[in-house]
Amino acid sequence: EPMLQPRNQGMVLGEDNEKMSKSRGNVIAPDDLVGEYGADTVRAYLMFFARWELGAPWNSSNIEGSARWLRKVWYTFLEPSDVETKADETITRDLRRKVHQTLQSITHDYETLNFNTVISGLMELLNEMATAKAQGAFGTDAWHEAECIYLRMMAPSCPHIAEELWQRTGHNYSIHNQPWPEVDVEATKE
């Protein structure tokens, strides 16, 4: 099976560490996966399935997990809530805490190129946001803040869907022209 290696080391196959090359016919082209799942799903999967510096045996069989995550992001952000919007202080405070804790963590992870934990952090935060939405946070100030920060954290990893969601959720200009969000340290405290 092919193995992904850290940047600038190319891909290698099997135990003999034969480098991938077109002349050997052992190159994996992402075109089929991009055609089926989209570029953002493939990018997210490549970032998520292994630590970047360690590499891992290539296996696209779990790419559906990244596709499910992006579908969940889409529906969580765009589908109206079945629950009446209510500004329950506990729910909004917990949402803000999780958003800012995740922002703090993901900022560090991007800076240290720990892309797999960026994606897992975004997945975990999305679950928290979906729970808060089901509890009436959708439409509150805390929800709008969470939405805005989430999309900006997601943009370097999944630029196309982040841009589309940015526009569809009523923001002007491109998400890629927005500043990186600031951590509210007070909000991160338990």
Side-chain angles (χ1 to χ4, degrees):
E1 286 186 10
M3 177 181 259
L4 284 181
Q5 291 295 319
R7 190 181 337 183
N8 298 327
Q9 292 184 15
M11 294 181 116
V12 284
L13 289 178
E15 295 176 10
D16 59 1
N17 289 338
E18 176 186 359
K19 289 204 184 245
M20 293 185 81
S21 98
K22 287 182 184 179
S23 64
R24 292 185 181 127
N26 60 5
V27 175
I28 299 170
D31 298 349
D32 292 339
L33 289 174
V34 170
E36 184 174 350
Y37 293 100
D40 281 350
T41 300
V42 174
R43 284 172 60 99
Y45 180 66
L46 287 171
M47 296 172 96
F48 179 64
F49 93 95
R51 288 184 56 99
W52 194 250
E53 72 276 7
L54 299 178
W58 173 251
N59 182 347
S60 62
S61 65
N62 293 323
I63 195 169
E64 187 58 39
S66 294
R68 276 193 310 274
W69 166 58
L70 291 177
R71 283 192 296 271
K72 186 175 179 180
V73 170
W74 187 267
Y75 291 114
T76 300
F77 281 55
L78 295 181
E79 290 297 314
S81 179
D82 295 339
V83 178
E84 182 181 331
T85 298
K86 57 185 175 188
D88 182 300
E89 186 178 325
T90 303
I91 293 168
T92 57
R93 184 187 63 238
D94 290 349
L95 177 59
R96 287 198 77 239
R97 179 184 312 115
K98 184 62 178 173
V99 166
H100 285 278
Q101 287 173 343
T102 303
L103 173 58
Q104 193 170 42
S105 175
I106 285 179
T107 299
H108 176 264
D109 292 341
Y110 272 126
E111 290 170 349
T112 58
L113 305 180
N114 288 317
F115 301 127
N116 61 324
T117 53
V118 166
I119 302 301
S120 65
L122 288 169
M123 290 175 173
E124 185 180 322
L125 177 57
L126 182 65
N127 290 335
E128 296 287 331
M129 289 178 69
T131 298
K133 181 179 180 178
Q135 295 173 338
F138 190 77
T140 64
D141 290 342
W143 178 267
H144 291 297
E145 178 190 35
E147 176 184 85
C148 185
I149 290 173
Y150 191 96
L151 291 175
R152 288 187 284 169
M153 289 189 297
M154 186 177 148
S157 302
C158 304
H160 304 98
I161 192 171
E163 180 71 28
E164 184 70 22
L165 286 170
W166 185 258
Q167 296 296 320
R168 286 180 181 239
T169 54
H171 297 92
N172 293 325
Y173 312 110
S174 172
I175 193 169
H176 305 293
N177 289 331
Q178 305 306 312
W180 189 253
E182 295 286 328
V183 174
D184 180 343
V185 177
E186 279 301 309
T188 66
K189 296 177 181 174
E190 295 291 338

